[in-house]
Amino acid sequence: MSTGELGLPVDVPSTALFTDRYELTMLQAALRSGAAQRRSVFEAFTRRLPEGRRYGVVAGTGRVLDAVENFRFDAPVLDFLRREDVVDEATLEWLAGYRFSGDIWGYPEGEVYFPGSPILRVEGTFAEAVVLETVILSILNHDSAIAAAASRMAVAAGGRPLVEMGARRTHELAAVAASRAAYIGGFRTSSNLAAGFRYGIPTVGTSAHAFTLLHDTERDAFTAQVESLGRGTTLLVDTYDVATAVKAAVDIAGPELGAVRIDSGDLLLLAHRVRQQLDDLGAKNTRIVVTSDLDEYAIASLAAAPVDSYGVGTSLVTGSGQPTCSMVYKLVARAADDGSLVPVAKKSMGGKTSVGGRKWAARRVDEDGVAAAEVIGSGPIPEDLVGHQLLVPLVRGGEVVGREPLEAARLRHIEARAGLPVSATQLSRGEPVLPTDLL
């Protein structure tokens, strides 16, 4: 499938070069040794959550499926690898016919996870699975970090709508992925048209300070906007004096004015003053939108303010201080000479240990149906956990079977978060809200 068919916002030859050189040099050595065709199991997981976070959010799974489908070594890619002498001709020949033919299982997108959770399990030959490491991790680490930040902001907003508006604060392609992840985490709309085009995320936006500054007076700017976009538009009222702007906005649009936006100053104080002024002017249904470098803590501080929605940019697209989830992709089992799977694991000091074996995961709940523990094992699944397993099939025999609408992931996250203990929604620093039990 081509990038055009996938609807990617730019044309790239394939996802095959979204990788590190050592993936291909390992492949070459494995092909030469004869080990490349050994059945192998890789798992993506994180050893710890970002400092202070109570839960993680799985995001990017749908993009991973797209990347695996589009992982193809076409002629220009192979020519580059040959020109740079990355691998030998035998390896290039193998890469020319690359198609992932194995199985992928994973936590469904929008689900929550904890330290050690086998978020993604890739099974196939060593050769076909190892080359996917970098692209899988780059997607999951970025998107899950954004989704976790978005989830915390959605909790802080207490049901008030959130607008993603971080495109100008990150790489242009990362901005599209961030908008998708934010939508999963609880944001309702985005300013990013590429995200709307690619993923169907509702887009919003009206004007910036430049539009006001373009006109001779603020009233001229407001008049032009209302005449063009209608009385239900949102007018930006902090270019000069907020009180003067609010009066002019209502004078021009009348009580049908959709909203006013405040983008600077003491947002708590201004929100109260603007709400009182709007009510006094008869614009009781006019909403107040606030922006200005918000994060989950700033949003929480405005909980008692008469704010109707929030726009968030920089903090969201940078994971609110945690731009990665530190996920890793490790070989946990491989075929022995008799064909049986044997667990393998790195032995290391300094907190980089891992647990071998092909794992399952389930979530134990208490008598009230609230999550009590993340249970992970590689042996038989206890009967009481059979109905609570977390991994679902995503790819079977090389064919994608787990693709789903983005809305499904968004709704799943709401449900998963609601099933956690109440302390999961605290913004204060703390340990993971669920313990991880290894069986």
Side-chain angles (χ1 to χ4, degrees):
M1 181 176 288
S2 71
T3 53
E5 290 171 325
L6 285 173
L8 293 175
V10 296
D11 186 27
V12 294
S14 76
T15 54
L17 290 186
F18 294 159
T19 192
D20 293 309
R21 181 168 175 146
Y22 83 152
E23 310 290 4
L24 301 189
T25 54
M26 278 194 292
L27 169 64
Q28 176 178 308
L31 288 170
R32 182 168 297 185
S33 75
Q37 298 308 310
R38 280 185 175 174
R39 181 187 174 201
S40 300
V41 180
F42 286 82
E43 289 176 355
F45 63 93
T46 184
R47 296 184 177 96
R48 64 192 66 84
L49 296 181
E51 184 180 357
R53 297 291 167 88
R54 304 298 180 92
Y55 59 91
V57 180
V58 179
T61 309
R63 296 207 308 120
V64 167
L65 298 181
D66 291 344
V68 170
E69 278 192 332
N70 203 41
F71 204 87
R72 302 286 186 268
F73 292 84
D74 55 19
V77 170
L78 293 170
D79 288 345
F80 165 76
L81 297 175
R82 182 179 292 110
R83 185 170 64 251
E84 296 298 316
D85 195 26
V86 175
V87 290
D88 60 20
E89 284 298 323
T91 305
L92 290 173
E93 183 178 347
W94 187 92
L95 291 173
Y98 179 86
R99 300 291 185 273
F100 181 74
S101 64
D103 300 331
I104 299 178
W105 290 68
Y107 279 40
E109 197 161 20
E111 183 58 84
V112 296
Y113 70 87
F114 298 91
S117 297
I119 296 163
L120 201 73
R121 189 177 73 215
V122 180
E123 303 184 33
T125 66
F126 176 83
E128 66 181 339
V130 72
V131 296
L132 296 175
E133 174 183 9
T134 303
V135 69
I136 284 175
L137 289 180
S138 66
I139 292 172
L140 292 181
N141 269 314
H142 174 268
D143 290 22
S144 296
I146 305 304
S151 180
R152 286 163 60 86
M153 293 173 189
V155 168
R160 295 171 178 173
L162 290 160
V163 182
E164 182 278 314
M165 47 195 307
R168 63 192 64 195
R169 298 292 187 249
T170 188
H171 184 280
E172 65 271 19
L173 298 185
V176 183
S179 180
R180 181 184 185 280
Y183 189 71
I184 291 171
F187 277 60
R188 295 193 188 179
T189 54
S190 173
S191 66
N192 191 314
L193 288 177
F197 173 76
R198 172 73 198 274
Y199 298 116
I201 297 169
T203 59
V204 296
T206 50
S207 67
H209 293 101
F211 185 77
T212 301
L213 296 170
L214 170 68
H215 292 81
D216 293 336
T217 69
E218 192 169 50
R219 295 185 70 93
D220 289 344
F222 287 175
T223 299
Q225 184 173 328
V226 170
E227 288 180 350
S228 174
L229 301 178
R231 297 176 185 273
T233 191
T234 298
L235 296 176
L236 182 58
V237 295
D238 72 322
T239 305
Y240 305 117
D241 177 73
V242 172
T244 301
V246 170
K247 184 178 186 307
V250 178
D251 284 347
I252 293 163
E256 297 86 8
L257 175 63
V260 295
R261 178 161 75 97
I262 309 170
D263 187 52
S264 59
D266 185 334
L267 298 179
L268 179 62
L269 177 63
L270 287 173
H272 281 286
R273 286 180 174 175
V274 169
R275 180 73 271 159
Q276 184 62 56
Q277 186 179 8
L278 287 170
D279 290 347
D280 290 345
L281 292 171
K284 296 182 181 296
N285 294 322
T286 299
R287 302 180 307 279
I288 297 175
V289 181
V290 296
T291 51
S292 185
D293 290 327
L294 298 177
D295 60 12
E296 61 265 49
Y297 301 103
I299 292 170
S301 73
L302 293 168
V307 172
D308 296 284
S309 62
Y310 307 90
V312 189
T314 303
S315 184
L316 176 65
V317 298
T318 57
S320 194
Q322 302 290 349
T324 180
C325 303
S326 299
M327 291 185 197
V328 295
Y329 183 87
K330 297 297 181 183
L331 180 66
V332 297
R334 63 164 177 81
D337 291 339
D338 63 1
S340 62
L341 278 179
V342 294
V344 295
K346 173 183 177 181
K347 291 184 179 179
S348 175
M349 300 178 67
K352 281 198 168 185
T353 57
S354 57
V355 179
R358 179 182 184 273
K359 299 175 195 67
W360 51 263
R363 189 159 298 146
R364 181 175 289 127
V365 298
D366 62 20
E367 60 275 11
D368 296 318
V370 177
E374 194 87 340
V375 186
I376 301 167
S378 56
I381 303 174
E383 285 190 18
D384 64 316
L385 294 177
V386 169
H388 298 280
Q389 295 184 71
L390 292 165
L391 278 77
V392 299
L394 300 171
V395 176
R396 185 178 291 121
E399 296 296 323
V400 172
V401 297
R403 188 173 278 116
E404 61 182 3
L406 188 60
E407 192 66 27
R410 174 183 171 84
L411 295 175
R412 180 180 295 114
H413 178 61
I414 294 172
E415 182 179 354
R417 190 175 62 205
L420 296 175
V422 174
S423 56
T425 61
Q426 293 177 347
L427 296 181
S428 57
R429 293 183 180 276
E431 296 300 313
V433 71
L434 295 186
T436 300
D437 295 343
L438 295 175
L439 298 185

